[in-house]
Amino acid sequence: MMLTLASAGVSAEEIDWSGYVSLEPRVFVDQPLFSEQPGAGVFASAVLAPELRYEWNRGDDRLTLAPYLRWDADDDQRTHLDLREALWLRVRGPWTWQIGLGRVFWGVTESRHLVDIINQTDFVEDIDEEDKLGQPMIALERWTRNAGSFGVFLLPGFRERTFPAADARLRGTLPIDTDRAEYESAANDRRLDWALRWSQVIGNWDLGLSGFYGTSREPRLLPRFDAPTGLVLIQRYDVIGQLGVDLQYTQDAWLWKLEAIGRRGHGSTFAAVVAGLEYTLFDIGGSGADLGLLAEYLYDDRDETAPPTIYDDDWFGGFRLALNDTEDTAVLAGAVFDTNGMFAILEAERRVGESWKFEAEVRWFLNVDPGDPLLGGFRNDSFITLRLARYL
Amino acid sequence: MSARSLAIWGLLWTGGVLAADTVIDASLPPEARGRAIAEESERRDSGFGDTVTELTMTLTNVEGRERTRRLTWQTLEGTVPNEGDKSLTVFHEPRDIEGTAFLSHTRIDGDDDQWLYLPALKRVKRIASSNKSSAFVGSEFAYEDLLSDEVEKFDYRWLRDEACGDWACFVIERRPRYANSGYSRQVVWIDQEAFRPVKIEYYDRRERLQKTLIFEDYRQYLDRYWRAHIMRMENHQTQKTTVLSFSTFEFQTGLSERDFDPSVLRRVR
């Protein structure tokens, strides 16, 4: 929706907006593990996510404002307002500045995003860790013709991870007291973190290297005894150093992917890897539709002092079907196979008319060992989200 | 490389001054003659630099229901040997894919390089380029109809000369040399005065006529470069049509290689 449209493409000053508003009820199918959680049933939720942009200097300067508001009938922690972006993007020749609250994504794999570290996870949104909070940043990136792109990211200010309320679904075995985060840094959440990034395309290779030094986006969860409620978990944020590499080799219908990190700062230094492939059958049977097959192996050798993860020694398998029809109908399905259980996802979407979209998302826990410290607390929280969105 | 995308823009340059038969040697064998016509068509578009246009795609199904997509299309002419043109498309409508961008670096000697930018995740994804025959955003255009038109990508054969509307045309056949094409061959009508594509028939792998593309509303820019402003694709097997309608093209807007680098995709809109 352009308010003023100058000559095609190379527009002058303009205000432009997009975003969506959606209704997205969630259905929990099992009775809860803990008595304070609600029973099986349908829980209403709604999102307002507009994005407003103002451009000048032929688009070389752009202000973006993207508030995100969710209301949830069941979980008062999930009802929240965030600024996903409040960002000044400034392009000057080969230099790109980003100043304000923004979102940066790095990486290539599908099942886990190891290298992606700039933004905090908005965990109340979804448990797949793909929703992120806006991060305060001053970022400067430099493009070069033959040596790739270099970026420096200064990150003043830290965002705590969001967690479901103690009486809500998906809270895990013990409730998390979100008002009592502890920090290793004496500056608490005001520490100046920083990151470096280099990326380049060399023929069929897409290569990225990154370094991060600052407060970990992943908290350790430490037990504390509270007089009225009993045992709770509090978040403890350590200062970490992390080096990451992401690599993709693209050949014909094959994508070979690797992400690896080394991290120090929570107990012993550890390494983690996701490696896998994606093979796509294009235009199956002359239908125009594509079927992508995904397989990834996940490894993480962190010890018990580090923030917990299920991806210590797991496989992920899945497929992505894109019909390439007028409605852009697509289905993504997959599962993580852990020694203590299986976590399956299914995401289906289809445009309705010109500006509506319907999505169904399934998150399913199967054969989970009740004794697993992480998965065990979620084993009765399989759910389906139905989303009807109107795009602005 | 100059690399006019025969298919997507349709082209033509100076022309006019020389009669076509002084350019294309009629004594050549059909294969060489067909290739000479394609080379001349490309030569006449070389030097265009870069272009920017806005494009509306109208998709019509059998029942006559219409859906539209609106996008910005930027092209940078290739200048390095073995590199074809680079193109960047950014979607504005439908609104749920607003800001999604598709970047393509055409290669003359091998597979093209393609990236997709997904604005919701701010994620840039390198994608496989063997998607040649897949439908582009649900339209009747396959990726290869829009992107793979360098001279070296086909083998040619001149078929005949014949009238095409008000113009006289060369009719040439071309067979894809690249892997994963959905076509056995294409028949292209090119006008003899300015070497603009006028019509393309696409034959599927079983040699059946699948689609016909018609180029209309040619306009000339910078006294040299011709661009079709309407392109109608009809799929004879599904009865669906897709019409591309281009706004005025802007030429030589100062775009450079860095505007077509995957690392800058996140700043497009």
Side-chain angles (χ1 to χ4, degrees), chain B residues 20-34 36-37 158 161 170 192:
Chain B
D21 55 356
T22 65
V23 177
I24 304 300
D25 182 354
S27 68
L28 289 169
E31 289 75 18
R33 194 168 168 187
I37 292 164
W158 170 82
D161 292 347
F170 301 112
Q192 296 184 4

Side-chain angles (χ1 to χ4, degrees), chain A residues 64-86:
Chain A
T64 304
L65 189 65
Y68 184 91
L69 175 65
R70 173 182 292 279
W71 168 81
D72 191 273
D74 171 49
D75 182 347
D76 58 10
Q77 292 291 324
R78 199 166 186 244
T79 296
H80 69 304
L81 173 68
D82 182 43
L83 268 178
R84 293 300 202 232
E85 277 186 73

Side-chain angles (χ1 to χ4, degrees), chain A residues 336-343 366-369 372 375:
Chain A
V336 173
F337 300 89
D338 185 85
T339 43
N340 289 339
M342 183 171 133
F343 173 57
L366 276 164
N367 301 323
V368 171
D369 177 355
D372 185 274
L375 283 172

Side-chain angles (χ1 to χ4, degrees), chain A residues 20-25 126 328 330 346-352 356-363 384-391, chain B residues 96 120:
Chain A
Y20 64 92
V21 51
S22 66
L23 289 173
E24 33 192 276
D126 199 343
D328 284 332
L346 176 82
E347 299 178 0
E349 61 177 49
R350 182 177 171 85
R351 186 182 306 111
V352 180
W356 294 79
K357 187 154 97 176
F358 179 73
E359 291 173 89
E361 294 176 348
V362 178
R363 307 282 182 255
I384 300 163
T385 303
L386 301 172
R387 178 179 299 117
L388 182 63
R390 170 72 162 89
Y391 284 80
Chain B
D96 62 299

